[in-house]
Amino acid sequence: MSGAVSAAIEVRAVEKRFGNVGIIRDLNLSVAKGERHAIIGPNGAGKSTTFNLISGHIAPTSGEVRLNGDLISGLRPFEINRRGLSRSFQVTNVFARMTVWENVRCAVLWATGHRYAFWKNVDSLPEVRERTAQILDDIHLTHRRDVPAGLLTYAEQRELEIGITIASGATVVMLDEPTAGMSHAETDRAVALIRRLTEGKTLVIVEHDMSVVFGLADRISVLVYGHIITSGTPEEIRRDPKVKEAYLGEEAH
Amino acid sequence: MLELIVISTLNGVLFGMLLFLLSSGLTVIFSMMGVLNFAHASFYMLGAFFGFQLTKWIGFWPALVLAPLLVGAIGMAVERYGLRNTHKHGHVAELLLTFGLAFAIEEIVSMIWGKSPLDYRVPALLDFPAFTIFSTNYPAYKIFMLAVSVIIFVALLIVLKRTRVGLIVQAALTHPHMVGHLGHNVGRVFMAVFGVGSALAALAGVIAGPALVTQSDMAASLGPILFVVIVFGGLGSLPGAFIASLVIGLVQTFAVALDGSLASAFGPLDPSSGPSVLTDVWNVTIAQVAPIVPYVLLVLILIVRPMGLMGTRET
Amino acid sequence: MTTAATSTSKMAAEPAGGLRFYGVWLLGILVLIVLPMIFSSGGSLTSFSLIGIAIVFALSYNILLGQTGLLSFGHAVHYGLGGFAACHMMNAVVSHGWPIPLPFIPLFGGLGGLAFAVIIGWVMTKRAGTVFAMISLGIGELVASSSLILRSVFGGESGITTDRTALPKMLGWSFGPQLQVYYLIAFWLVLSAIAMYALTRTPLGRICNAVRDNPERVQFIGYDPHVVRYIAFCFAGFFAGIAGGLAAINFEIANSAYLGAIQSGLVLFSTFIGGTAFFFGPILGAILVTYLQLGLTNLTTAWQLYFGIIFIGIVMYSPGGIAGLLMMHRPLIRAGTLWTVIPSYLVAVVPTVALACGVILAIETVARFSGGDPINLFGIAFIATSPVTWLTAAILVVGGFFVARLAWRRIAEAWDKAATVARDRGYLA
Ligand SMILES: Nc1ncnc2c1ncn2[C@@H]1O[C@H](COP(=O)(O)OP(=O)(O)OP(=O)(O)O)[C@@H](O)[C@H]1O
Ligand SMILES: [Mg+2]
């Protein structure tokens, strides 16, 4: 594609209107390959909507989104996913009646090339089994492998959500508030997990917990009313008066 | 020819309005509760049978009021004791419950009244020709049916636009997830909506009974058409249901009235070719095709506009 | 019941393959072989044949409902078209003298069912849920009505007849006697059941489950739920066609009743009553419903009403079906707490049976009010027009209901206790 090193994700002049309410206005975002990028912003700023726009869950009203230089806006979620972008959901979104093992395994199947195969025994695919086992081990759910996902505790479901997202081995991983609602200990464990699992990958994360954000991110973008007011390193963001006013200011009160 | 067009248009609009009496209730129930009430046509059938029985006992006019009330009460009971308990098992279970109910109601009706058509007569008061167009006498009863449907239609409009309940229903139509915010009232509202929907269906049954055939399979034969109407119009859209009701009512009435076939238009096929699918298609009359027309429309709309005419909902 | 949700769990990992797994299948095959030797009357052979066909049909339906979460009200379309395809194929084999023996015919039935699924399925499976249900109903009506118009293909009201004995013999079998037809059906039953079970264990089968649980999320793990539904629909159509082909062989006729709403309703009843969450659920359901259907038609004119009531009861109180009810007990058996609930079951039997008798008496009273034989309940004759009968029915229904409700509450309590213990011992999530 483009000769120069293209960004992993490039969002250019994206607008999204619901009815006649503009939720996302002139959104520009660039995430370099291998970068850990956090998006922060007050409630209702449009962070999840941004995720939905990039991952193909909803189509932008105008503007374009590129993944590794290729235009992906207008593609459907599974097409984008097959190009190596995987996302999690803010509200847990798992396969409730299937076991933890099955949940993760389903997420492994497409990437391992088994697709819609109806002539293979799913239990005797060594690479699928190994990868599933590895991920269950990573997310510390091996001991719960035969429990239906709907019966897991909240924190376990959040971990499973991360597991399903990274299972396909996507090179671009987007996590929407992965630690929301977790206790301190659980959050620490989840952050360590995310750090380890996204080693060498591009990560976009939405997070309200500032200690998580400043500890994890290489770069941070601040989203307010559907517009990115500034992007920069954690140091730059910390010093930026606009951010203090729009976002951190609220926290300080 | 002109005569046929005028009469068929009248009959078509009448059938369409009847369909709307049913599909409006179905649509509102679906939008608010997410349940497609499979037994809706069964309530229509119960209306016809109760109407018949009550007419025999106390006369047509009291029956016209009482039968819908009775069926409305049954509908409320179904909501309160059936659907509300099944809700926790999901929408498929709710749909299945109403499916089982439709099945059971048909059996009960044929057990009590038998399987053959009932002698449900037009009331004497309305048993005269209203007017004569060309050479056809148009029965006053049909005008009466049309009038009732239009009155109900207007009443529904007023309720929807002017009352508090109407506002809630409208809000539910456009923002289904908002229904949850009704608070502790939600159960009562559901029950009322379900009751009113059932009563409207029954009213359609009482007035349609004497004009159409009152028989234990009337729900099974009308039900699928009703579902075509609301899928065609777009699930959850009242204007869609209205347009679809009229379209299907007119199309079907015209199809029944037309007697042509490809053979009559272009002459018979070479007889030596013997029976084949082609001869079947060539010789079938439009009237014979009439029953499948709604379903053909359904397939077409799904190919062209999977959401239905005016639908916005994914599921 | 509160524990219903856990009934689908596969707690305490078990060795999936192994002796027990193959043992169950071998036992099933053995039963199929031995059955006609024990019950060899013509009547039972006919029943077994019908049950075999119904099982294949119900299993094919569960590919949609249980595996993929698609509720179809028109599955008989594929069954019926399979039947017609088989009849036409048999007649063609005879008239052209092709060397195709009868045992291969169900395959053509399957292809008939598959062909229609391939053509119409893409449009139908665009959307799931309620819309799919309604469309399946509409397509069902469309095909059923069209079959009466296209007389040259469907033979109008009378249908298409055929003669299964006119086909080339295989291994010296003419397939004239019902016994030979039974074994033919049993053979295809085993074949289809194994194939359909194997399907659940493939990548496609698992993704079907994922689409059932959460079609939105499936898109974010690389799959197009529409394609998944479409392929599942085609498989279901194929196996339904095989069942229809078997029926065509069994009855030597295919007519429009094969693809009508009643047939579609019956397969839904069988599958759901049996239970959709387990592979063997539809098998139980098909056996029960077919058996009841054959048995009840002679006893009462209201047999369909009983189905309706059983079905409603299952939907409301045990959406996992019979299989779900049975499998609920597995963790309790493992944890050794089953015995704590048995006494409350026994206590509940009496009022529940009384309630059921009351309902039966009430229904039969209405059914036979204007003439008919007296109602025979446990050897006691009740006259439908007698107030004694009405009173008995009323007492049984009302009394039975209130006592039974108490008894059921006791069961629920005992259950919760037993389940808690099972949970503590790690057999239940
Ligand atoms: N499908 C939709 N239709 C209409 N409005 C929507 C839709 N989705 C989101 N919105 C609105 O867009 C705005 C942004 O929502 P979004 O979920 O993206 O916020 P967010 O930044 O993720 O907030 P939070 O921190 O609470 O998760 C909200 O006001 C929301 O109500
Ligand atoms: Mg959000």
Side-chain angles (χ1 to χ4, degrees), chain C residues 187-251:
Chain C
F187 170 75
W188 275 95
L189 166 61
V190 171
L191 210 61
S192 315
I194 291 175
M196 283 188 266
Y197 182 76
L199 185 65
T200 64
R201 313 273 296 232
T202 64
L204 176 76
R206 296 305 164 159
I207 290 298
C208 284
N209 295 167
V211 167
R212 171 199 68 198
D213 279 10
N214 192 341
E216 180 196 67
R217 178 64 174 197
V218 165
Q219 298 191 288
F220 294 91
I221 56 170
Y223 284 90
D224 183 354
H226 184 191
V227 172
V228 176
R229 286 194 292 262
Y230 178 58
I231 303 177
F233 187 78
C234 290
F235 271 107
F238 176 70
F239 287 108
I242 288 182
L246 291 172
I249 290 172
N250 188 53
F251 297 113

Side-chain angles (χ1 to χ4, degrees), chain A residues 90-112:
Chain A
Q90 183 175 357
V91 178
T92 302
N93 206 350
V94 296
F95 306 108
R97 282 171 62 191
M98 300 169 77
T99 62
V100 170
W101 173 265
E102 301 276 7
N103 266 269
V104 173
R105 186 167 63 180
C106 278
V108 167
L109 284 174
W110 185 275
T112 45

